[in-house]
Amino acid sequence: MRSESVPAGRTFLEEARRAQIIGCAIDTLAAEGYSRATMARIAERARVSKSVIVYHFATKERVFEQVVAEVFQSATDALRPHLDAETTPADKLRAYIAGRVQFLSTHQAHMLALFEIWMNLRSDDGALRMSEADAESTVDAIEQLLAAGQASGDFGDFSARVMAMAVRQAIDGVLLQLRVDPHLDLDEYARELVALFDRATRRTS
Amino acid sequence: MRSESVPAGRTFLEEARRAQIIGCAIDTLAAEGYSRATMARIAERARVSKSVIVYHFATKERVFEQVVAEVFQSATDALRPHLDAETTPADKLRAYIAGRVQFLSTHQAHMLALFEIWMNLRSDDGALRMSEADAESTVDAIEQLLAAGQASGDFGDFSARVMAMAVRQAIDGVLLQLRVDPHLDLDEYARELVALFDRATRRTS
Amino acid sequence: MRSESVPAGRTFLEEARRAQIIGCAIDTLAAEGYSRATMARIAERARVSKSVIVYHFATKERVFEQVVAEVFQSATDALRPHLDAETTPADKLRAYIAGRVQFLSTHQAHMLALFEIWMNLRSDDGALRMSEADAESTVDAIEQLLAAGQASGDFGDFSARVMAMAVRQAIDGVLLQLRVDPHLDLDEYARELVALFDRATRRTS
Amino acid sequence: MRSESVPAGRTFLEEARRAQIIGCAIDTLAAEGYSRATMARIAERARVSKSVIVYHFATKERVFEQVVAEVFQSATDALRPHLDAETTPADKLRAYIAGRVQFLSTHQAHMLALFEIWMNLRSDDGALRMSEADAESTVDAIEQLLAAGQASGDFGDFSARVMAMAVRQAIDGVLLQLRVDPHLDLDEYARELVALFDRATRRTS
DNA sequence: CATGAATGAGCCTTCATTCAT
DNA sequence: AATGAATGAAGGCTCATTCAT
């Protein structure tokens, strides 16, 4: 399926180690935060020497890039079927919100790790490394969905960009809330958000 | 009033130095991010030796705590009059959103700095230091506003907590957007967000 | 006098530390060779923590640059008077050779350190850092001396460049020889080299 | 003949691998310098895994020892016929100088590699590994040649040791010069050096 | 009130070597 | 005969903090 995840040159064993390390990187980022997610601590979680990580990824930056790729992939894979099952823009939007929130609950560490990297990973010149790619792809997807709904007359009149950003932010907010209160009732949360944006996007008669 | 910020023992000059350092810490955090906001770099921006910071604040952690306090204070001070000028819950909500977005535009560095610390500052045991205090005070304030509106019949039926969080997140989203595109049209943004949450909170006839 | 050695911004104490560290770097390079001349080992010799070196020089590369500068300065200072005391090209050449060999004997570690750096210090792209500057200045000086002698008719017909290089190399050879046999009779060596190049440069009647 | 290079137990294929690796080690040393000549980089040049080198040589030190042996062998083999073709000491000296310089031009990498190792390879106690063996064999050979010439009355009166060293150093100097200017006119260089030492050794009437 | 000097812990990375396959 | 995987020591450097002045 995902031809990218097991490229030509990699053995099964190597792929397993890489997956293990990425997993531990995710857990470390989620549990201890970006600045504590050092090679040493990731290695410790994997019960492996630091050098093993270097051997498989060459660079800490590369590890984090892989974390981002992995989380993106998982999130996209998980969301796609839910989205494809719906036809009307309004239903797609509901599915999007509900799907994302559900993904958060099953992949909390993944999303927290992504968030940590997104917020903190910078290139040598000090510029953020991830913000563009992410902002582009995630918000844009929602924006297009909304614009389609406006074109079809299902949605009312509003800035698709601002609404898209609000949707995205509301979903990310669940994550931050989870960090404070891990026993949050996510079902209720999802329902409320769906209803909220239903009202906000609905065409006013 | 602000008993904490000018306690008995501090001279005027000392207070000026502290303010200068806090200001430079804010600028550094905003411009270079949490992990690059080191004592050395903050000192450099203040054209002062590292030791000056240590002398006045003892610890990096304390500097950041003061940054948080300062930004909170500014934000509250700036918002209060706008809020007090309104009477109905709906108007108060509009004023809240518009006021916050306006504050973002005039105090971008302040808010970015707050955000960096909020996301990254942890105590020695690895636990986040800021999330509770902040989540409590910011979201709770909105939540109470919304609950009051529901009690008075101005707002419809929704989870005040979830809506409060969505409001808060939407506003923070403007900040992240600003980081990507500094020339954002904030007036339009504010108008759209106000309208969005107007529709989302309005009592459905 | 040498305004460069105590520039404006440096205190007496700092200059002393710097001199001490440079001295230890020289000794380490001379005694243990380039690849063993690490920050840790230089610091150990100076009975100081690694950080002290970083504090005063920022970078290992800078330390080595200072070593080169220091040795160059010393060598030039030591040779100048000997050279100025002579008038004819032949005498100047003799003074040059004898002076350099004498400097070697009193500053063996300096010259060995210079040699180690000259041979091994490379920039990130892999290119040698010192060879040009050194080859230029040292060999050129001799070459000009020889060319002047040819122009005045004191010397015979030969490639000034090749002869200059042979002179330089013969002198450096003493250094390498010293490394093998530290109790070399340097006076004899100097006398022999002077005589050798006397014959090699003399105008053939 | 070369009992060491093809001992009983080595197959033809093994010998080929060893030669290939030695060749790549030489190229790496010459092109990138001693400290960059790591097992990994040598292996990369040979398009082979690091382990192959370990398998055939056990140790990096052994690889370098073999490099030295190989270069020595080549140099000796190349020089022998030129030397044997001459009869008088003066002609032998000329042949020696010219032959060595020519070897430099055809085997620049070999000589640079030898030089790098000679200057840098040390045993665990920090002592140079190569200087003795080399100084002994190379300089001694020239010294004997010169001494023979003095005994036969062909050469004048000078320290054979110092002259031998000057000869050796002048030749090595060509190498260093080549490193700076790869397009050197080596024929002229050889001619000049031959003439130089001709004058320096000639019996003064 | 301010500073320069120094430190030790920790960071990411490189590297020669070992080992199972 | 060859390889990939793993390791531990060491390297240069950053940083918050301590201390004497």
Side-chain angles (χ1 to χ4, degrees):
Chain A
M1 305 281 155
R2 295 186 294 142
S3 65
E4 195 198 5
S5 61
V6 187
R10 282 202 204 111
T11 70
F12 170 74
L13 261 162
E14 171 159 22
E15 208 52 40
R17 254 278 182 275
R18 285 173 63 96
Q20 179 206 10
I21 292 169
I22 293 300
C24 291
I26 288 174
D27 290 347
T28 309
L29 281 161
E32 315 199 40
Y34 187 85
S35 37
R36 286 177 137 84
T38 67
M39 295 292 258
R41 265 191 274 254
I42 295 171
E44 190 186 18
R45 217 169 259 259
R47 289 169 196 271
V48 139
S49 84
K50 272 187 297 178
S51 320
V52 172
I53 305 183
V54 174
Y55 176 75
H56 287 284
F57 293 91
T59 270
K60 193 193 182 191
E61 201 182 1
R62 293 262 182 77
V63 175
F64 284 177
E65 282 167 5
Q66 276 310 106
V67 167
V68 171
E70 151 76 11
V71 178
F72 257 67
Q73 194 58 247
S74 306
T76 305
D77 288 355
L79 191 62
R80 177 75 34 95
H82 291 193
L83 227 51
D84 289 347
E86 307 299 333
T87 52
T88 75
D91 283 338
K92 275 185 191 287
L93 180 60
R94 282 178 208 114
Y96 183 91
I97 295 172
R100 279 260 189 256
V101 172
Q102 194 196 334
F103 185 79
L104 277 183
S105 68
T106 56
H107 293 73
Q108 193 179 345
H110 279 66
M111 289 303 293
L112 280 172
L114 180 62
F115 205 68
E116 292 288 337
I117 294 175
W118 188 68
M119 288 290 307
N120 287 294
L121 182 59
R122 286 166 187 258
S123 27
D124 283 340
D125 63 6
L128 282 166
R129 282 283 307 269
M130 282 342 323
S131 56
E132 279 160 282
D134 187 34
E136 222 71 350
S137 69
T138 301
V139 180
D140 278 14
I142 314 177
E143 189 178 352
Q144 282 163 25
L145 181 59
L146 294 169
Q150 291 181 314
S152 68
D154 290 277
F155 293 151
D157 187 33
F158 50 78
S159 159
R161 177 115 206 118
V162 174
M163 182 69 70
M165 198 224 57
V167 169
R168 186 191 110 97
Q169 283 296 114
I171 292 165
D172 279 359
V174 180
L175 190 66
L176 302 183
Q177 209 68 15
L178 264 177
R179 202 155 58 155
V180 175
D181 171 15
H183 305 303
L184 208 61
D185 180 350
L186 286 170
D187 284 342
E188 189 220 345
Y189 231 105
R191 249 179 292 121
E192 285 287 336
L193 285 184
V194 164
L196 191 169
F197 285 104
D198 231 34
R199 291 193 297 276
T201 54
R202 182 182 309 163
R203 186 158 52 89
T204 50
S205 54
Chain B
M1 301 284 151
R2 295 187 297 145
S3 64
E4 195 199 5
S5 59
V6 188
R10 282 201 204 112
T11 71
F12 170 74
L13 259 168
E14 184 164 3
E15 209 51 41
R17 258 276 184 273
R18 285 173 61 94
Q20 177 204 16
I21 292 168
I22 293 300
C24 292
I26 288 173
D27 290 347
T28 309
L29 281 161
E32 316 199 40
Y34 188 84
S35 37
R36 285 175 140 88
T38 67
M39 296 290 262
R41 267 190 273 256
I42 295 170
E44 189 188 18
R45 217 170 258 259
R47 292 169 195 269
V48 141
S49 84
K50 266 187 306 181
S51 316
V52 174
I53 305 183
V54 175
Y55 177 77
H56 286 285
F57 294 92
T59 269
K60 193 191 180 191
E61 200 180 1
R62 294 266 179 72
V63 176
F64 285 175
E65 282 166 4
Q66 276 312 107
V67 167
V68 171
E70 151 76 11
V71 178
F72 258 67
Q73 195 58 245
S74 307
T76 305
D77 289 355
L79 192 60
R80 178 75 37 92
H82 290 190
L83 229 49
D84 289 348
E86 307 298 333
T87 52
T88 75
D91 282 340
K92 275 186 191 286
L93 180 60
R94 283 179 207 113
Y96 182 90
I97 294 172
R100 278 263 188 253
V101 172
Q102 194 196 333
F103 185 77
L104 277 183
S105 69
T106 56
H107 292 73
Q108 195 177 343
H110 280 66
M111 288 303 292
L112 279 172
L114 180 63
F115 205 69
E116 292 287 339
I117 294 175
W118 190 70
M119 286 292 306
N120 287 294
L121 183 58
R122 288 168 186 255
S123 26
D124 285 339
D125 63 6
L128 281 164
R129 283 285 307 268
M130 252 54 232
S131 55
E132 281 161 281
D134 187 34
E136 224 70 351
S137 68
T138 302
V139 181
D140 279 13
I142 314 177
E143 189 177 353
Q144 282 162 25
L145 179 58
L146 294 169
Q150 290 181 314
S152 69
D154 289 277
F155 291 152
D157 186 32
F158 50 79
S159 159
R161 176 114 207 120
V162 173
M163 183 68 70
M165 199 224 55
V167 169
R168 187 191 109 96
Q169 283 296 115
I171 292 164
D172 278 0
V174 180
L175 190 65
L176 301 183
Q177 211 67 15
L178 264 177
R179 203 157 55 156
V180 175
D181 170 17
H183 305 303
L184 208 60
D185 181 350
L186 284 170
D187 284 342
E188 190 220 345
Y189 232 104
R191 249 180 291 121
E192 285 287 336
L193 285 184
V194 163
L196 192 169
F197 286 104
D198 233 33
R199 290 195 296 275
T201 55
R202 179 183 310 161
R203 188 157 52 88
T204 50
S205 54
Chain C
M1 303 289 150
R2 295 187 294 141
S3 65
E4 195 199 4
S5 61
V6 186
R10 286 205 200 108
T11 71
F12 170 74
L13 260 163
E14 170 159 23
E15 209 51 42
R17 255 279 182 274
R18 285 173 63 96
Q20 178 205 12
I21 292 169
I22 294 299
C24 291
I26 288 175
D27 290 346
T28 308
L29 281 162
E32 315 198 40
Y34 188 85
S35 38
R36 286 177 138 84
T38 66
M39 296 292 258
R41 264 191 272 255
I42 295 171
E44 191 186 18
R45 216 170 260 260
R47 289 170 196 270
V48 139
S49 84
K50 273 187 297 178
S51 319
V52 173
I53 305 183
V54 174
Y55 176 74
H56 287 284
F57 293 92
T59 270
K60 193 192 180 191
E61 199 182 2
R62 292 261 182 78
V63 175
F64 284 177
E65 282 167 6
Q66 275 310 106
V67 167
V68 171
E70 152 76 11
V71 177
F72 257 67
Q73 195 58 248
S74 306
T76 305
D77 288 356
L79 192 61
R80 178 74 34 94
H82 291 193
L83 228 50
D84 289 348
E86 308 297 334
T87 51
T88 75
D91 282 339
K92 275 185 190 289
L93 180 60
R94 283 180 207 114
Y96 183 90
I97 294 171
R100 279 262 188 253
V101 173
Q102 194 196 334
F103 184 78
L104 277 181
S105 68
T106 56
H107 292 73
Q108 194 179 344
H110 278 67
M111 290 302 293
L112 279 172
L114 180 62
F115 206 69
E116 292 287 337
I117 294 175
W118 189 69
M119 288 291 307
N120 286 293
L121 183 58
R122 288 167 186 257
S123 27
D124 283 341
D125 64 7
L128 282 164
R129 283 283 306 269
M130 284 342 321
S131 55
E132 279 159 282
D134 187 33
E136 223 70 348
S137 69
T138 301
V139 179
D140 278 15
I142 313 177
E143 189 178 351
Q144 282 163 24
L145 180 57
L146 294 169
Q150 290 180 315
S152 68
D154 289 277
F155 292 150
D157 187 32
F158 51 78
S159 159
R161 176 115 206 118
V162 174
M163 182 68 71
M165 199 223 56
V167 168
R168 187 190 110 95
Q169 283 295 115
I171 292 164
D172 278 0
V174 181
L175 190 66
L176 301 183
Q177 210 66 15
L178 264 177
R179 202 155 58 155
V180 175
D181 171 16
H183 305 303
L184 209 60
D185 181 349
L186 284 170
D187 284 342
E188 189 219 345
Y189 231 105
R191 250 180 292 123
E192 285 287 336
L193 284 184
V194 164
L196 192 168
F197 286 103
D198 232 32
R199 291 194 296 277
T201 54
R202 179 182 310 162
R203 187 157 53 88
T204 50
S205 54
Chain D
M1 302 287 146
R2 296 186 294 145
S3 64
E4 197 197 3
S5 60
V6 187
R10 284 205 200 108
T11 71
F12 170 74
L13 259 167
E14 184 165 2
E15 209 51 42
R17 258 277 183 272
R18 285 173 61 96
Q20 177 205 13
I21 292 168
I22 294 300
C24 292
I26 288 174
D27 290 346
T28 309
L29 281 162
E32 316 200 40
Y34 188 84
S35 38
R36 284 175 140 88
T38 66
M39 295 291 260
R41 266 191 272 256
I42 295 170
E44 190 188 18
R45 219 169 257 261
R47 290 169 198 269
V48 140
S49 86
K50 268 187 304 180
S51 316
V52 174
I53 305 184
V54 176
Y55 177 76
H56 285 286
F57 293 91
T59 269
K60 193 190 179 190
E61 200 182 2
R62 294 266 179 73
V63 175
F64 284 176
E65 283 167 3
Q66 276 311 107
V67 166
V68 171
E70 151 77 11
V71 178
F72 257 68
Q73 196 57 246
S74 306
T76 305
D77 288 355
L79 191 61
R80 178 76 34 93
H82 290 189
L83 230 50
D84 289 348
E86 307 298 334
T87 52
T88 74
D91 282 339
K92 275 185 190 289
L93 180 59
R94 284 180 207 113
Y96 183 90
I97 295 172
R100 279 259 189 257
V101 172
Q102 194 196 334
F103 185 79
L104 277 182
S105 68
T106 55
H107 292 74
Q108 194 177 344
H110 278 66
M111 289 302 293
L112 279 173
L114 180 62
F115 206 70
E116 292 287 339
I117 294 175
W118 189 70
M119 287 290 307
N120 287 295
L121 183 59
R122 288 168 186 254
S123 27
D124 284 340
D125 63 5
L128 281 165
R129 283 284 308 267
M130 249 60 231
S131 55
E132 280 160 282
D134 187 34
E136 223 70 351
S137 67
T138 301
V139 180
D140 279 14
I142 315 177
E143 188 178 352
Q144 282 163 25
L145 180 58
L146 294 168
Q150 290 180 315
S152 68
D154 288 278
F155 292 151
D157 187 32
F158 51 78
S159 159
R161 176 115 207 116
V162 173
M163 183 68 70
M165 200 223 54
V167 169
R168 186 190 109 94
Q169 283 295 115
I171 292 164
D172 279 359
V174 180
L175 190 66
L176 300 183
Q177 211 67 15
L178 264 177
R179 203 156 56 155
V180 175
D181 171 16
H183 305 302
L184 209 59
D185 180 350
L186 285 171
D187 284 343
E188 189 219 346
Y189 233 104
R191 250 180 291 121
E192 284 287 338
L193 284 184
V194 163
L196 191 169
F197 286 104
D198 233 32
R199 291 194 297 276
T201 54
R202 181 182 309 162
R203 189 158 52 88
T204 50
S205 53

Short mmCIF file of all heavy atoms in Angstrom, two decimals, chain B residues 104-131:
data_model
loop_
_atom_site.label_atom_id
_atom_site.label_comp_id
_atom_site.label_asym_id
_atom_site.label_seq_id
_atom_site.Cartn_x
_atom_site.Cartn_y
_atom_site.Cartn_z
N LEU B 104 -3.54 41.54 19.94
CA LEU B 104 -2.56 40.75 19.20
C LEU B 104 -1.77 41.60 18.22
O LEU B 104 -0.56 41.45 18.08
CB LEU B 104 -3.27 39.65 18.39
CG LEU B 104 -3.63 38.37 19.10
CD1 LEU B 104 -4.25 37.41 18.11
CD2 LEU B 104 -2.38 37.75 19.71
N SER B 105 -2.52 42.49 17.55
CA SER B 105 -1.84 43.26 16.52
C SER B 105 -0.89 44.28 17.12
O SER B 105 0.15 44.58 16.55
CB SER B 105 -2.86 43.95 15.60
OG SER B 105 -3.51 44.97 16.33
N THR B 106 -1.24 44.81 18.28
CA THR B 106 -0.36 45.80 18.90
C THR B 106 0.69 45.17 19.80
O THR B 106 1.68 45.79 20.13
CB THR B 106 -1.18 46.81 19.73
OG1 THR B 106 -1.95 46.09 20.69
CG2 THR B 106 -2.11 47.63 18.86
N HIS B 107 0.44 43.94 20.21
CA HIS B 107 1.37 43.28 21.12
C HIS B 107 1.76 41.89 20.63
O HIS B 107 1.78 40.94 21.39
CB HIS B 107 0.75 43.16 22.52
CG HIS B 107 0.56 44.46 23.22
ND1 HIS B 107 -0.41 45.37 22.86
CD2 HIS B 107 1.22 45.03 24.26
CE1 HIS B 107 -0.35 46.43 23.66
NE2 HIS B 107 0.63 46.25 24.51
N GLN B 108 2.11 41.84 19.34
CA GLN B 108 2.40 40.54 18.77
C GLN B 108 3.52 39.82 19.52
O GLN B 108 3.40 38.65 19.87
CB GLN B 108 2.78 40.71 17.29
CG GLN B 108 2.75 39.40 16.54
CD GLN B 108 3.07 39.60 15.07
OE1 GLN B 108 3.02 40.73 14.56
NE2 GLN B 108 3.39 38.53 14.39
N ALA B 109 4.58 40.54 19.78
CA ALA B 109 5.72 39.91 20.46
C ALA B 109 5.31 39.41 21.84
O ALA B 109 5.67 38.30 22.24
CB ALA B 109 6.88 40.89 20.58
N HIS B 110 4.54 40.23 22.56
CA HIS B 110 4.08 39.79 23.88
C HIS B 110 3.37 38.45 23.80
O HIS B 110 3.65 37.53 24.54
CB HIS B 110 3.11 40.83 24.47
CG HIS B 110 3.77 42.00 25.09
ND1 HIS B 110 4.49 42.92 24.37
CD2 HIS B 110 3.83 42.42 26.39
CE1 HIS B 110 4.95 43.86 25.18
NE2 HIS B 110 4.57 43.58 26.42
N MET B 111 2.45 38.37 22.86
CA MET B 111 1.64 37.16 22.79
C MET B 111 2.46 35.97 22.31
O MET B 111 2.29 34.84 22.79
CB MET B 111 0.45 37.40 21.86
CG MET B 111 -0.59 38.32 22.47
SD MET B 111 -1.22 37.73 24.07
CE MET B 111 -2.13 36.27 23.55
N LEU B 112 3.37 36.21 21.37
CA LEU B 112 4.21 35.10 20.91
C LEU B 112 5.08 34.59 22.06
O LEU B 112 5.25 33.38 22.24
CB LEU B 112 5.10 35.54 19.73
CG LEU B 112 4.41 35.55 18.37
CD1 LEU B 112 5.32 36.19 17.33
CD2 LEU B 112 4.04 34.13 17.95
N ALA B 113 5.61 35.52 22.82
CA ALA B 113 6.45 35.12 23.95
C ALA B 113 5.65 34.29 24.94
O ALA B 113 6.09 33.23 25.39
CB ALA B 113 7.02 36.36 24.63
N LEU B 114 4.47 34.78 25.25
CA LEU B 114 3.60 34.03 26.16
C LEU B 114 3.36 32.63 25.63
O LEU B 114 3.46 31.64 26.35
CB LEU B 114 2.26 34.76 26.29
CG LEU B 114 1.24 34.10 27.21
CD1 LEU B 114 1.77 34.05 28.64
CD2 LEU B 114 -0.09 34.84 27.17
N PHE B 115 3.08 32.57 24.36
CA PHE B 115 2.81 31.28 23.73
C PHE B 115 4.02 30.35 23.85
O PHE B 115 3.88 29.17 24.22
CB PHE B 115 2.47 31.52 22.27
CG PHE B 115 1.63 30.45 21.68
CD1 PHE B 115 0.31 30.29 22.08
CD2 PHE B 115 2.15 29.58 20.74
CE1 PHE B 115 -0.48 29.28 21.54
CE2 PHE B 115 1.37 28.57 20.20
CZ PHE B 115 0.05 28.41 20.60
N GLU B 116 5.18 30.86 23.56
CA GLU B 116 6.40 30.03 23.62
C GLU B 116 6.58 29.46 25.02
O GLU B 116 6.88 28.28 25.20
CB GLU B 116 7.63 30.85 23.23
CG GLU B 116 7.68 31.28 21.78
CD GLU B 116 8.01 30.13 20.83
OE1 GLU B 116 8.58 29.13 21.30
OE2 GLU B 116 7.68 30.24 19.63
N ILE B 117 6.43 30.32 26.01
CA ILE B 117 6.61 29.86 27.39
C ILE B 117 5.52 28.88 27.77
O ILE B 117 5.78 27.82 28.34
CB ILE B 117 6.60 31.06 28.35
CG1 ILE B 117 7.81 31.94 28.09
CG2 ILE B 117 6.59 30.58 29.79
CD1 ILE B 117 7.84 33.20 28.90
N TRP B 118 4.32 29.23 27.42
CA TRP B 118 3.20 28.37 27.76
C TRP B 118 3.39 26.97 27.20
O TRP B 118 3.11 25.98 27.86
CB TRP B 118 1.92 28.99 27.19
CG TRP B 118 0.68 28.33 27.68
CD1 TRP B 118 0.18 28.38 28.93
CD2 TRP B 118 -0.18 27.50 26.91
NE1 TRP B 118 -0.96 27.62 28.99
CE2 TRP B 118 -1.21 27.07 27.77
CE3 TRP B 118 -0.18 27.08 25.58
CZ2 TRP B 118 -2.22 26.22 27.35
CZ3 TRP B 118 -1.20 26.24 25.16
CH2 TRP B 118 -2.22 25.82 26.04
N MET B 119 3.90 26.89 26.01
CA MET B 119 4.09 25.60 25.36
C MET B 119 5.31 24.84 25.87
O MET B 119 5.37 23.62 25.78
CB MET B 119 4.27 25.82 23.85
CG MET B 119 3.03 26.19 23.10
SD MET B 119 1.85 24.81 23.06
CE MET B 119 2.89 23.50 22.39
N ASN B 120 6.29 25.55 26.36
CA ASN B 120 7.57 24.88 26.57
C ASN B 120 8.11 24.86 28.00
O ASN B 120 8.91 23.98 28.31
CB ASN B 120 8.64 25.53 25.67
CG ASN B 120 8.46 25.17 24.21
OD1 ASN B 120 8.62 24.02 23.83
ND2 ASN B 120 8.10 26.15 23.39
N LEU B 121 7.72 25.82 28.78
CA LEU B 121 8.32 25.86 30.11
C LEU B 121 7.84 24.71 30.99
O LEU B 121 6.64 24.53 31.20
CB LEU B 121 7.99 27.20 30.79
CG LEU B 121 8.62 27.39 32.17
CD1 LEU B 121 10.13 27.30 32.11
CD2 LEU B 121 8.20 28.72 32.77
N ARG B 122 8.78 23.95 31.48
CA ARG B 122 8.44 22.80 32.32
C ARG B 122 9.25 22.83 33.60
O ARG B 122 10.35 23.37 33.64
CB ARG B 122 8.73 21.49 31.57
CG ARG B 122 7.74 21.22 30.45
CD ARG B 122 8.19 20.12 29.53
NE ARG B 122 7.27 20.02 28.41
CZ ARG B 122 6.36 19.06 28.26
NH1 ARG B 122 6.26 18.11 29.16
NH2 ARG B 122 5.57 19.05 27.22
N SER B 123 8.70 22.23 34.63
CA SER B 123 9.48 22.12 35.87
C SER B 123 10.44 20.93 35.75
O SER B 123 10.42 20.19 34.77
CB SER B 123 8.55 21.96 37.06
OG SER B 123 7.33 21.39 36.69
N ASP B 124 11.27 20.79 36.75
CA ASP B 124 12.31 19.77 36.67
C ASP B 124 11.75 18.37 36.45
O ASP B 124 12.40 17.52 35.84
CB ASP B 124 13.16 19.79 37.96
CG ASP B 124 14.09 20.99 37.96
OD1 ASP B 124 14.36 21.51 36.87
OD2 ASP B 124 14.55 21.38 39.04
N ASP B 125 10.56 18.13 36.97
CA ASP B 125 10.00 16.79 36.81
C ASP B 125 9.39 16.57 35.43
O ASP B 125 8.84 15.52 35.15
CB ASP B 125 8.96 16.51 37.91
CG ASP B 125 7.77 17.46 37.79
OD1 ASP B 125 7.71 18.24 36.83
OD2 ASP B 125 6.92 17.43 38.69
N GLY B 126 9.46 17.57 34.58
CA GLY B 126 8.98 17.40 33.22
C GLY B 126 7.56 17.89 32.99
O GLY B 126 7.09 17.95 31.86
N ALA B 127 6.86 18.26 34.06
CA ALA B 127 5.48 18.71 33.91
C ALA B 127 5.43 20.14 33.40
O ALA B 127 6.27 20.97 33.76
CB ALA B 127 4.75 18.61 35.25
N LEU B 128 4.44 20.44 32.61
CA LEU B 128 4.27 21.80 32.12
C LEU B 128 4.01 22.74 33.27
O LEU B 128 3.29 22.41 34.21
CB LEU B 128 3.11 21.86 31.12
CG LEU B 128 3.44 21.36 29.73
CD1 LEU B 128 2.18 21.09 28.94
CD2 LEU B 128 4.30 22.38 29.00
N ARG B 129 4.59 23.90 33.20
CA ARG B 129 4.44 24.84 34.31
C ARG B 129 3.26 25.78 34.16
O ARG B 129 2.67 26.22 35.12
CB ARG B 129 5.72 25.69 34.42
CG ARG B 129 6.88 24.98 35.05
CD ARG B 129 6.68 24.85 36.57
NE ARG B 129 6.41 26.14 37.17
CZ ARG B 129 7.32 26.95 37.66
NH1 ARG B 129 8.55 26.56 37.67
NH2 ARG B 129 7.01 28.11 38.16
N MET B 130 2.92 26.13 32.93
CA MET B 130 1.99 27.23 32.72
C MET B 130 0.57 26.79 32.35
O MET B 130 -0.38 27.56 32.51
CB MET B 130 2.51 28.11 31.57
CG MET B 130 3.06 29.46 31.97
SD MET B 130 4.34 29.43 33.24
CE MET B 130 3.73 30.57 34.45
N SER B 131 0.42 25.60 31.82
CA SER B 131 -0.86 25.27 31.18
C SER B 131 -2.05 25.43 32.13
O SER B 131 -3.10 25.91 31.73
CB SER B 131 -0.81 23.85 30.63
OG SER B 131 -0.46 22.95 31.64
#
